[in-house]
Structure formats: C-alpha cells, structure tokens
Amino acid sequence: MIITLVRHGEIDNDYLGYYNGHIDIALSEKGLQEAALVAKQFKYTRFDAVYSSDLIRSRQTLHPFSLNIEPHFTEELREKSWGKHEGMNFDAITTRDGLAYRHFEQWINALDGEPYDAYIARIRRFFLEFLPSQPYDSVLVITHAGVIRVLYAIILELSLEKAFGLPFPYAAYTTLDTETWQFGAL
C-alpha cells in the first residue's frame, strides 16, 4: 500500500506559533491557495480510500481534491490535544504555569491534554495496524504535522525531538510504502 500523507494548509495567522491541538481553526487565504495547489498535483491520481482529520483545517485542505470516493473523517488523525494549554504559545505557558523547558520530552509531558504515549499509540494503531489491514493499494491521508512527525519517529526509529525538528511545511506531502516502510521524498 502507498499512503500519501498531506499536511493541511496554512492556518489563520492568529494561531501561528501556538499549541492548537484540537482547536477547530480554518485555513488562511494562503492556506486555501496551498490546498488548491497540492490538490492539483494529484488531479489524475486515483486513491482507493481517503482519510482525513475531522478538524476544519484538514477538511478545507481536502476540499479541492477531485475524488471519486467519499472520504472518511476521523478523530484518529487529529493533532495531539494540549488541554488547558491549547491556544497558548510557549511564552504564555511558561509565564502562566511557571513551566521551564529543560528538554523536548520533559516539555511535552509537562503540558496538559492527551498523554504523549497515548498520542503515539493512536498514531501507531492507525498507520501500522488499521491501514495495513485494509484492502487498498493507494490511500490519501490529510492530517497534521505532529501526526506525520510522530509517524516518522516510529518508522525511522527517531527520537521525538529529532522527528519534530524535521521540516514539514504547510500543504507538503510525502508517501509511505507499507511493503518496505520507506518514505518518499518530501
């Protein structure tokens, strides 16, 4: 199976640089244009199945795709929930909660919301158990950068810090071949 992974387009400027998680944010005007451009690249590609995060930024990214099938919208492809820290940036969190950044894993585990091990397990289940059990050859997935980076960490056996340092711009895409578990070029 070939899984085409697409990050949603750019979000509204008011939310850039924040821990947005499950906040249902629309794409910016630039993000809508990015979605149209990435969809155009797949104009002649036939997908056997389409899965998308149910959040509006992913739905809007999927909208310009010419599909011959109904997409499946799922919470399984959502970004991590940050709980009481959603909608806040780093400075606001450190000021309000007095948290100090010592290292990557300490920081993400100190923040509220979905436990990181549960988030990783959710992504592992979806991509390594659920999708490979389906009878598809070609699957389109519209999701979030965090989901894609965690998948990179799992498949390539990278630390989360290293995976989250990988560039994955808005509306970028890559492929994952489940026979070899290799990613295509970004």
Side-chain angles (χ1 to χ4, degrees):
M1 173 187 303
I2 302 296
I3 302 170
T4 300
L5 297 153
V6 178
R7 181 184 181 189
H8 63 76
E10 181 187 83
I11 56 176
D12 186 288
N13 287 337
D14 292 341
Y15 294 93
L16 293 175
Y18 290 77
Y19 291 85
N20 295 311
H22 291 193
I23 298 173
D24 215 6
I25 304 163
L27 295 181
S28 65
E29 197 58 43
K30 180 180 177 186
L32 292 170
Q33 293 169 2
E34 290 171 339
L37 287 173
V38 74
K40 190 175 182 179
Q41 294 180 54
F42 294 100
K43 184 176 181 178
Y44 301 107
T45 304
R46 185 184 152 285
F47 294 104
D48 300 319
V50 176
Y51 291 89
S52 174
S53 163
D54 62 337
L55 296 176
I56 191 71
R57 53 197 186 264
S58 292
R59 287 176 175 267
Q60 287 181 315
T61 301
L62 180 60
H63 182 74
F65 279 78
S66 298
L67 300 173
N68 59 342
I69 54 176
E70 286 295 314
H72 303 276
F73 296 100
T74 177
E75 293 179 1
E76 295 297 304
L77 291 170
R78 281 185 177 193
E79 190 63 271
K80 179 193 178 305
S81 165
W82 297 103
K84 68 182 182 183
H85 296 114
E86 289 207 354
M88 297 177 72
N89 65 19
F90 179 87
D91 292 337
I93 293 169
T94 57
T95 300
R96 186 190 80 181
D97 294 353
L99 295 176
Y101 182 96
R102 290 190 297 276
H103 57 83
F104 185 81
E105 289 199 36
Q106 165 271 330
W107 177 254
I108 59 175
N109 287 316
L111 298 181
D112 194 40
E114 181 178 17
Y116 227 79
D117 57 346
Y119 176 56
I120 293 167
R122 172 166 54 91
I123 294 166
R124 181 183 302 278
R125 248 187 339 272
F126 186 85
F127 287 100
L128 277 66
E129 296 172 22
F130 171 72
L131 276 185
S133 73
Q134 302 304 303
Y136 306 128
D137 292 323
S138 180
V139 176
L140 173 64
V141 173
I142 310 287
T143 191
H144 308 269
V147 171
I148 296 167
R149 288 178 175 134
V150 166
L151 185 59
Y152 267 88
I154 293 167
I155 301 295
L156 301 177
E157 298 179 353
L158 302 174
S159 70
L160 288 175
E161 183 170 17
K162 186 160 183 117
F164 273 76
L166 297 172
F168 209 95
Y170 288 113
Y173 70 90
T174 189
T175 57
L176 175 61
D177 183 334
T178 62
E179 285 189 30
T180 62
W181 291 107
Q182 292 189 353
F183 286 97
L186 176 63

